[in-house]
């Protein structure tokens, strides 16, 4: 077998070092041996946006971006989306194995038993302006939970950790629905623990209507599958933010609140909202070529397209596109779907997108479904956050059990001023 090492020669000095290769990586700290002067700091890696830096070893989610593969704990996303419920997938992500039937029943009951929210949280949610963006509200709600459950600080106690996991999974949909209805002057609808996770969420949002037969099972299942598709995506921007925050032993509510903050941006989870606004702005299939010219002229980005990892069709987008038509059979079609389909067709044949390997991502079709179901556009990123919560929590649990992890603290290349004399205020230019 060949030697599992990487030999590097520093041409400034002729110094050669040999670094061990494990899992196709070398330890970055090994480069620090490379110095010109003995008192130099030593060589570092420069990697803005962490495009080629592994920050952890993980067993949760596998993505092969070139082949368009996504697996949670080894199970293909296509199979999980077809066969499993969202809470079943949450269990898988958190504990590493699919639950048996009895374990799943118990798990569902444990999560659903946590769906009531504190009066303190209700009071807080009533203080936001009616037009507050739901992501800002959700960030605040999750951060506030840190004050309601101070035991969460005991991040190295596994029983305490699990209690916070159950609270977050159970309470976040209730907080979202409560804030949504409160912002519209509608009375809150209490959670119904006898329902499934997504059924209960749509019920609390008030989507069952008055006195009818409850939530249409096709819509409840579509919601559940959309949550499954969003449940984890390895070391993306929000998950990395979460790991950074939690690496200081901050409690999980603060870490998840920070992750939601990262998700809020239009390049990440805010893209589903941005896609809908973009499709509405295009407004007509005839205007697609002109819009794509603006994209190619770098005036705007084609939202819902492109991905740091996928250089092929995002497997989640294929499933979302299929769900859209299932939902439309119940809700009636969303006219924006025609624009989206034509936009995709035109873009994936255009050299600008082909040469950069830009394809639709998970956010391209999801907003069209959410809108058809009755969600207002600004709540779309919140739906992403609800789906991603078990993934964040699974990554947090993994981090807490990883003896190799230390507080996250990157280095920088300092290019600012050297030491200079301090000018008194009256002498400054
Ligand atoms: N529209 C137009 N051009 C694009 C797009 C896009 N959506 N995405 C990438 N490019 C171009 C970019 O201009 C660059 O071109 P050039 O090499 O000529 O300068 C090239 O493709 C590489 O782009 P990049 O910005 O270096 O790629 P990245 O890996 O840093 O960014 C991304 C990934 C997702 C932020 C980006 O593709 C993007 O902004 N997409 C639109 C927003 C979006 O849909 N986000 C949701 C991502 S999936 C859900 C999630 O997990 O967050």
């Amino acid at each position: 077998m060949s030697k599992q090492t990487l030999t590097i020669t520093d041409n400034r000095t002729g110094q050669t070092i040999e670094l061990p290769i494990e899992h196709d990586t070398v330890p970055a700290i090994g480069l620090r041996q490379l110095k010109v002067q003995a008192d130099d700091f030593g060589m570092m890696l420069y990697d803005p946006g962490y495009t080629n830096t592994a920050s952890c070893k993980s067993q949760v989610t596998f993505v092969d971006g070139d082949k368009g593969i996504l697996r949670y704990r080894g199970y293909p996303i296509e199979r999980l989306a077809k066969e499993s419920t969202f809470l079943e997938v949450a269990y898988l992500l958190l504990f590493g194995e699919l639950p048996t039937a009895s374990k799943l029943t118990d798990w569902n009951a444990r999560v659903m038993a946590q769906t009531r929210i504190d009066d303190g949280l209700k009071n807080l949610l009533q203080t936001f302006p009616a037009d507050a963006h739901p992501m800002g509200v959700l960030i605040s709600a999750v951060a506030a939970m840190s004050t309601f459950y101070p035991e969460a600080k005991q991040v190295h106690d596994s029983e305490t950790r699990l209690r916070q996991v159950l609270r977050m999974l159970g309470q976040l949909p209730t907080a979202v629905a409560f804030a949504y209805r409160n912002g519209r002057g509608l009375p809150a609808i209490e959670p119904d623990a006898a329902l499934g996770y997504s059924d209960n969420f749509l019920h609390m949002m008030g989507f069952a209507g008055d006195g009818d037969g409850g939530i249409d099972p096709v819509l409840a299942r579509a919601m559940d599958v959309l949550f499954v598709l969003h449940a984890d995506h390895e070391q993306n921007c929000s998950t990395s933010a979460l790991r950074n925050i939690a690496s200081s032993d901050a409690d999980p509510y603060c870490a998840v609140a920070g992750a939601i903050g990262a998700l809020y941006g239009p390049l990440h989870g805010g893209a589903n909202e941005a896609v809908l606004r973009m499709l509405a702005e295009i407004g007509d299939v005839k205007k697609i070529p002109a819009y794509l010219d603006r994209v190619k002229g770098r005036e705007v980005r084609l939202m819902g397209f492109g991905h740091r990892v996928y250089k092929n069709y995002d497997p989640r987008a294929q499933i979302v596109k299929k769900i859209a038509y299932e939902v439309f059979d119940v809700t009636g079609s969303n006219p924006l779907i025609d624009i989206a389909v034509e936009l995709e067709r035109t873009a994936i044949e255009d050299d600008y997108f082909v040469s950069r390997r830009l394809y639709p991502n998970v956010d391209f079709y999801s907003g069209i479904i959410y809108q058809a179901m009755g969600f207002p556009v600004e709540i779309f990123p919140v739906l992403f956050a609800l789906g991603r919560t078990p993934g964040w929590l699974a990554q947090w649990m993994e981090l807490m059990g990883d003896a190799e992890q230390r507080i996250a603290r990157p280095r920088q290349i300092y290019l600012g001023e050297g030491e200079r004399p301090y000018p008194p205020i009256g002498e400054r230019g």
Side-chain angles (χ1 to χ4, degrees), residues 205-218:
M205 292 289 291
F207 286 6
D210 291 326
D212 66 10
I215 303 294
D216 187 296
V218 174

Side-chain angles (χ1 to χ4, degrees), residues 260-278:
I260 300 170
L263 189 75
Y264 193 172
L267 299 188
H268 191 8
N272 52 17
E273 180 180 351
V275 169
L276 232 282
R277 295 191 194 283
M278 174 187 77

Side-chain angles (χ1 to χ4, degrees), residues 4 31 42 58 65-66 74 93 109 131 149 212 225 232 279 284 290 292 296 302 324 330 369 377 401 418 422:
Q4 295 297 299
L31 293 178
S58 182
D66 285 326
L93 288 168
D131 62 352
Y149 306 111
D212 66 10
V225 176
D232 196 48
L279 294 175
D284 191 320
L292 288 179
K296 292 188 271 183
L302 186 58
V330 177
I369 304 178
V377 69
Y422 178 88

Side-chain angles (χ1 to χ4, degrees), residues 25 53 60 113 197 216 244 253 266 320 329 332 341 346 353 367 378 402 413 426-427:
T25 59
T53 296
V60 182
Y197 178 95
D216 187 296
N244 262 297
Y253 299 107
V320 176
D329 281 344
V341 168
T346 317
F353 298 93
E378 63 278 5
D402 184 345
I413 303 171
E427 293 173 19

Side-chain angles (χ1 to χ4, degrees), residues 266-269 271 295 298 301-308 311 316 352-353 356 358 361-363 384:
L267 299 188
H268 191 8
V295 173
R298 295 173 187 273
R301 283 208 158 197
L302 186 58
M303 301 313 286
F305 254 69
H307 200 278
R308 170 62 61 76
K311 300 302 168 197
R316 302 168 298 177
Y352 176 94
F353 298 93
R356 290 171 179 78
L358 302 171
N361 59 50
V362 69
D363 288 320
F384 193 148

Side-chain angles (χ1 to χ4, degrees), residues 18-286:
E18 193 174 345
L19 300 179
I21 297 176
E22 195 190 6
H23 310 297
D24 285 336
T25 59
V26 290
I29 194 77
L31 293 178
R32 289 269 284 278
Q33 303 164 59
L34 296 173
K35 300 177 179 195
V36 176
Q37 306 291 337
D39 60 352
D40 281 354
F41 182 77
M43 182 79 78
M44 294 185 295
L45 292 170
Y46 176 55
D47 190 10
Y50 307 115
T51 50
N52 197 37
T53 296
S55 61
C56 63
K57 294 174 182 164
S58 182
Q59 299 182 17
V60 182
T61 290
F62 173 78
V63 181
D64 183 327
D66 285 326
K67 297 196 180 113
I69 293 173
L70 168 60
R71 298 185 200 127
Y72 300 157
R73 302 282 189 184
Y75 297 108
I77 190 66
E78 293 80 5
R79 196 72 200 269
L80 293 168
K82 194 160 175 233
E83 315 269 352
S84 289
T85 64
F86 175 60
L87 283 187
E88 191 179 356
V89 167
Y91 183 102
L92 171 69
L93 288 168
L94 286 158
F95 306 112
E97 297 297 338
L98 284 165
T100 60
S102 65
K103 279 190 177 154
L104 180 57
T105 305
D106 176 61
W107 172 245
N108 287 342
R110 289 177 79 187
V111 174
M112 296 309 290
Q114 295 294 330
T115 46
R116 290 192 174 275
I117 57 172
D118 222 86
D119 282 344
L121 186 53
K122 286 183 182 169
N123 291 339
L124 174 79
L125 292 170
Q126 283 166 339
T127 62
F128 291 95
D131 62 352
H133 194 285
M135 281 297 262
V137 176
L138 183 63
I139 292 166
S140 311
V142 177
M145 287 174 77
S146 157
T147 67
F148 300 139
Y149 306 111
E151 66 157 6
K153 286 186 182 63
Q154 293 160 40
V155 293
H156 294 290
D157 179 68
S158 59
E159 293 295 315
T160 312
R161 281 204 298 262
L162 184 55
R163 276 197 296 280
Q164 317 319 313
V165 166
L166 288 165
R167 282 180 178 135
M168 261 187 271
L169 290 178
Q171 293 191 27
L172 296 200
T174 313
V176 168
F178 183 93
Y180 164 80
R181 290 184 63 82
N182 179 66
R184 281 161 180 72
L186 298 168
I189 300 175
E190 289 301 315
D192 182 347
L195 296 176
Y197 178 95
S198 295
D199 249 302
N200 174 55
F201 175 56
L202 297 176
H203 153 78
M204 291 188 296
M205 292 289 291
F207 286 6
D210 291 326
D212 66 10
I215 303 294
D216 187 296
V218 174
L219 300 189
R221 179 61 192 157
M223 189 78 252
D224 218 53
V225 176
L226 286 164
F227 284 145
V228 166
L229 297 178
H230 287 86
D232 196 48
H233 212 244
E234 51 117 314
Q235 308 313 314
N236 55 84
C237 175
S238 56
T239 303
S240 299
L242 172 129
R243 279 182 175 261
N244 262 297
I245 297 169
S247 76
S248 72
D249 283 353
D251 76 52
Y253 299 107
C254 294
V256 170
I260 300 170
L263 189 75
Y264 193 172
L267 299 188
H268 191 8
N272 52 17
E273 180 180 351
V275 169
L276 232 282
R277 295 191 194 283
M278 174 187 77
L279 294 175
E281 186 190 334
I282 295 173
D284 191 320
V285 285
K286 289 196 215 80

